[in-house]
Amino acid sequence: MQQPERPGGQDTGATDSAASTSAASTSAAAAPGVSAQDAPAPTVPATEAAVTQPPAADAPSPGGTAPEGPGAVRPGPGSAARRRAWAELLRLPALFTVPGDALAGAAAAGARPNARTLLAIGSSVCLYEAGMALNDWADRAEDAAERPHRPIPSGRVRPAAALTAACALTGAGLALAARAGRPALAVAAPLAATVWAYDLTLKHTPAGPVAMAGARALDLLLGAAATTGRTREALPSAALLGTHTLAVTTVSRQETQGGSPLAPLAALAATGLLTRLVTGRGRPDPGPSSEARPVSHPAAPRRRPGTAGRFASPPVTEPRTARPSRPGAGAGGDLAAGLTTALGALYAATAARPYFHAALNPSPPLTQRAVGAGIRATIPLQAGLSARTGAVGPALLIAALAPLGARFAKKVSVT
């Protein structure tokens, strides 16, 4: 799809009166070898000076480059406009949904976060942002027609710069995963491959939502692999998080043109199912009760060989308090269970209502709002997955990212 052409020029037709008032300035500017400073300044009435003088915004900023096209302004390096353009390209508010993947993965593996978990978070952040930059680079022609305000089609970020950023961030993500250990790199490598395959090939195919769901599931497994070197225990949590991502991605495929209500309805049903699975199953096991159980005393007499029919006295029993089978047992288990229920309710409240509105009216504005809500709902879902394993501290830390993401989403769109 071709990009819309910029206007090539302005109408040169003018009235005789306007031509007479600007004849001196026009001839001076058109004369070869004569600069505007050397030409005599034309006499312009004070009432017309404010009208004919070009606005100051059209002038290039100090240290910047000249404008491209009529009225186009390219911000200078380090300016607030350039920083905002990159924030839109990388969708910085969505970045708050990334750390919870590694923390939820570590919790699902039954381990506390450590230094390798931080490396996994750094790797996840780099690979996530690489996917964002690569996404806009791959969709630059489509965005020029459907979303011309995006940073690349609007000219605020050069396509080569976006592609370079995607490559650099991918390399940084793999390097951080390698620092976390071979198990982490073994997960990060297919994660990076999935991100690139989605953006370049799979996005507009039926396999697109599945690929995105797989990428998010791998990101959770990356946290488990980096923290403990194992991923098997984290597979159920990864499947739940991947299902949520599958629902959000399916809805996002029609956010620019609208479409059928089936996608938001399916996402609404998936939200209810995930809420039930997170809050109703897999809660911290309170462990066996502290009742006395028979335990063989190490000094108990045994049956002697060759003494048929004669047995030693029964083993001595003594009370033993069993350790809880999970870290969140007892009073901590009640706290974790209550926190899991609250986070599950928050997850459902964040995503369900926008999905319902998009199902009633699958227009682009309501669909985009549903997609944004689905992205933000990732945070309470990650926190709920952590809380149900008894990891109360990581769950609260993840939940604290939700208001920060919502605050920044008011300034920069997450879609």
Side-chain angles (χ1 to χ4, degrees):
M1 185 178 297
Q2 297 180 353
Q3 297 185 9
E5 296 180 358
R6 294 184 178 180
Q10 298 178 354
D11 187 8
T12 56
T15 60
D16 294 337
S17 58
S20 61
T21 56
S22 60
S25 59
T26 304
S27 60
V34 180
S35 63
Q37 296 179 353
D38 298 334
T43 303
V44 182
T47 57
E48 298 179 7
V51 178
T52 59
Q53 185 177 2
D58 290 340
S61 59
T65 58
E68 297 180 0
V73 181
R74 292 186 61 86
S79 65
R82 182 172 294 276
R83 291 194 298 269
R84 179 176 179 82
W86 279 95
E88 294 178 10
L89 179 76
L90 300 176
R91 295 169 179 83
L92 289 186
L95 196 62
F96 291 96
T97 67
V98 179
D101 289 344
L103 293 175
R112 294 181 179 180
N114 52 33
R116 292 188 301 273
T117 311
L118 295 179
L119 290 173
I121 293 175
S123 176
S124 299
V125 168
C126 291
L127 295 178
Y128 187 89
E129 294 292 43
M132 291 298 178
L134 185 64
N135 175 81
D136 276 25
W137 179 84
D139 287 351
R140 60 191 185 279
E142 178 182 345
D143 287 344
E146 298 180 352
R147 290 183 289 188
H149 61 278
R150 293 294 302 158
I152 292 180
S154 64
R156 292 177 292 154
V157 175
R158 294 181 293 108
L163 182 59
T164 301
C167 295
L169 288 168
T170 301
L174 293 176
L176 290 173
R179 288 289 304 273
R182 289 184 179 180
L185 182 60
V187 177
L191 172 58
T194 303
V195 170
W196 280 73
Y198 172 82
D199 286 331
L200 298 181
T201 305
L202 302 177
K203 182 188 308 181
H204 301 293
T205 68
V210 178
M212 181 59 70
R216 181 66 82 165
L218 285 172
D219 202 32
L220 187 145
L221 296 178
L222 176 59
T227 306
T228 66
R230 306 183 309 273
T231 59
R232 179 176 300 180
E233 298 90 340
L235 288 176
S237 295
L240 295 178
L241 185 60
T243 302
H244 166 74
T245 306
L246 176 66
V248 177
T249 309
T250 302
V251 176
S252 70
R253 293 168 70 89
Q254 58 186 37
E255 64 178 340
T256 58
Q257 298 178 350
S260 171
L262 294 179
L265 280 176
L268 182 61
T271 301
L273 177 61
L274 290 174
T275 303
R276 175 70 178 88
L277 292 176
V278 172
T279 60
R281 296 175 60 183
R283 290 183 180 180
D285 188 0
S289 59
S290 302
E291 299 175 355
R293 60 170 63 178
V295 180
S296 297
H297 196 279
R302 299 180 180 179
R303 175 181 174 180
R304 297 179 181 180
T307 55
R310 298 176 61 186
F311 293 90
S313 58
V316 180
T317 61
E318 61 182 11
R320 184 177 69 179
T321 303
R323 293 183 179 180
S325 59
R326 293 193 180 185
D334 296 337
L335 175 61
L339 182 60
T340 303
T341 302
L343 291 171
L346 178 61
Y347 163 68
T350 303
R353 185 175 180 181
Y355 284 154
F356 180 71
H357 289 168
L360 293 178
N361 181 15
S363 60
L366 292 181
T367 303
Q368 292 173 9
R369 185 178 303 175
V371 173
I375 295 175
R376 293 192 301 271
T378 305
I379 297 179
L381 177 59
Q382 295 164 337
L385 292 174
S386 299
R388 74 173 193 157
T389 65
V392 176
L396 293 176
L397 180 60
I398 297 172
L401 298 175
L404 295 176
R407 178 180 178 183
F408 281 93
K410 295 179 181 180
K411 300 179 181 180
V412 179
S413 175
V414 298
T415 62

